[in-house]
Amino acid sequence: MEIWKVEAPLVCTRRVAGLKQTSLRILRNSSGSRQVAVDPVGAREGNWVFTLSGSAARWAVGDFSVQTDLTIGGIIDFWQAEETQSPGNP
Amino acid sequence: MEIWKVEAPLVCTRRVAGLKQTSLRILRNSSGSRQVAVDPVGAREGNWVFTLSGSAARWAVGDFSVQTDLTIGGIIDFWQAEETQSPGNP
Amino acid sequence: MEIWKVEAPLVCTRRVAGLKQTSLRILRNSSGSRQVAVDPVGAREGNWVFTLSGSAARWAVGDFSVQTDLTIGGIIDFWQAEETQSPGNP
Amino acid sequence: MEIWKVEAPLVCTRRVAGLKQTSLRILRNSSGSRQVAVDPVGAREGNWVFTLSGSAARWAVGDFSVQTDLTIGGIIDFWQAEETQSPGNP
Amino acid sequence: MEIWKVEAPLVCTRRVAGLKQTSLRILRNSSGSRQVAVDPVGAREGNWVFTLSGSAARWAVGDFSVQTDLTIGGIIDFWQAEETQSPGNP
């Protein structure tokens, strides 16, 4: 399970039917790379979260027919960010 | 779900039967690496999209018997490209 | 199966129901990157462990309905750490 | 689906029974790393191909019981190689 | 299927029940990173092998209930090592 910071919601009008009404979030890790994840826990901008990938991502949404490969699994209560590693934060 | 820019369609005469009549696109991410994905949403050159990998890629096509491991999941409405990170865009 | 050192437990109040009552650990590898894993073997801080990913991660917990994508598979009896490779250990 | 150049066939006398009589190819990508893939399409040395990974790799062979995690999915008709990125081609 | 050199057996007293009586090997690739794999073919220290990942790893053992995500698939008859790429071999 990887560790990410929530950056923003993702606005996406045209998408495959399999994603249904899920909320999408843009995540960014400490090295600056980004991914999109389904959010079933209600994470806010700035939260540190961990994600589930693969088929676990679909089960975690609570509806296996949702076509995701990355789902937020939980919000971390406390995290030392180490943002000095990130190229995007000088 | 990873974020990519659509670069071009992929012309490929000889391919496995499991890909059927799907459209293939060459995608490029902000660090310049490329992948090939099935496109069920009709993305155009220059669109920013996100992709589904693993078994979710097959479900997202709408026909599980299509043998893909990467499928475009949606077109992002607005994306700040940060193309300065890309080695291919001086 | 990847090789990691156990760094700390992960405190996480809000998480998806699919993780149930599992214990989570923060792991760190020799190049300094981190991941979160479910721990069914009782590893302690400082132990070197190897992890199972993908669907094997769920089977290894002993309860396939636990939604993990990374599970500790065993504690390595002896490991030469090579911590000189780690950017976090000057 | 990743993009590779076929480098050579792989000779391998002792292998698991699950690979059956498949042909194996050594592939190399533009950054110089190598992988081994099952070839059901008859690619030749020097061809640029794309590959299917995960469970799609098994379906693509046409026999799901073949134990591969990487299968050549098709031969690309035209590819601008960008071999300047490769450390192995000065 | 990735290419690795067998480095040593892995001694591991405490491990999940799902690994059963399998033999574990520490593998090292040409860039110096390491992984642990189940060995059903009897590879020796110094052999070059290729590995199967994902669910194919479990099928390849011959017993799908073994909880591995990486299994040695075969011993390569002849391999030009290119060990100059390895940071661990000056």
Side-chain angles (χ1 to χ4, degrees), chain B residues 2 45 47 52 57-58 62 64-65 69 76 85:
Chain B
E2 287 184 77
E45 200 179 316
N47 283 160
L52 299 160
R58 296 214 296 282
F64 189 70
S65 66
D69 65 1
I76 302 174
Q85 281 187 295

Side-chain angles (χ1 to χ4, degrees), chain C residues 58-77:
Chain C
R58 295 212 298 281
W59 290 109
V61 177
D63 175 357
F64 188 70
S65 66
V66 170
Q67 300 318 320
T68 176
D69 65 1
L70 197 73
T71 299
I72 295 177
I75 301 171
I76 302 173
D77 288 8

Side-chain angles (χ1 to χ4, degrees), chain B residues 1-88:
Chain B
M1 292 169 275
E2 287 184 77
I3 297 164
W4 304 86
K5 188 176 187 175
V6 178
E7 203 175 69
L10 181 75
V11 183
C12 179
T13 312
R14 199 147 112 209
R15 59 190 203 177
V16 292
L19 281 167
K20 301 190 177 175
Q21 307 305 324
T22 54
S23 297
L24 299 177
R25 296 279 180 277
I26 301 170
L27 308 180
R28 185 183 181 122
N29 67 7
S30 62
S31 64
S33 70
R34 288 195 185 88
Q35 290 247 341
V36 177
V38 167
D39 177 11
V41 296
R44 293 186 191 170
E45 200 179 316
N47 283 160
W48 284 88
V49 298
F50 64 88
T51 53
L52 299 160
S53 62
S55 52
R58 296 214 296 282
W59 291 108
V61 176
D63 175 356
F64 189 70
S65 66
V66 170
Q67 300 318 321
T68 175
D69 65 1
L70 198 72
T71 299
I72 295 177
I75 302 171
I76 302 174
D77 287 9
F78 178 74
W79 187 253
Q80 295 149 283
E82 291 189 47
E83 298 231 32
T84 53
Q85 281 187 295
S86 166

Side-chain angles (χ1 to χ4, degrees), chain A residues 14-25:
Chain A
R14 198 147 113 209
R15 58 190 204 178
V16 293
L19 281 167
K20 300 189 178 175
Q21 308 304 325
T22 53
S23 297
L24 300 177
R25 296 279 181 277

Side-chain angles (χ1 to χ4, degrees), chain C residues 4-46:
Chain C
W4 304 86
K5 189 177 189 176
V6 179
E7 202 175 67
L10 181 75
V11 183
C12 178
T13 313
R14 199 147 112 208
R15 57 190 204 178
V16 292
L19 282 167
K20 300 189 178 176
Q21 308 304 325
T22 53
S23 297
L24 300 177
R25 296 279 181 278
I26 301 171
L27 308 179
R28 185 182 180 123
N29 67 7
S30 64
S31 65
S33 70
R34 289 194 184 90
Q35 289 246 341
V36 177
V38 167
D39 177 11
V41 297
R44 294 185 192 170
E45 200 179 316

Side-chain angles (χ1 to χ4, degrees), chain E residues 67-86:
Chain E
Q67 300 318 321
T68 175
D69 65 1
L70 197 72
T71 300
I72 295 176
I75 301 170
I76 303 173
D77 287 9
F78 177 74
W79 187 255
Q80 296 148 285
E82 290 190 47
E83 300 232 32
T84 53
Q85 279 187 297
S86 167

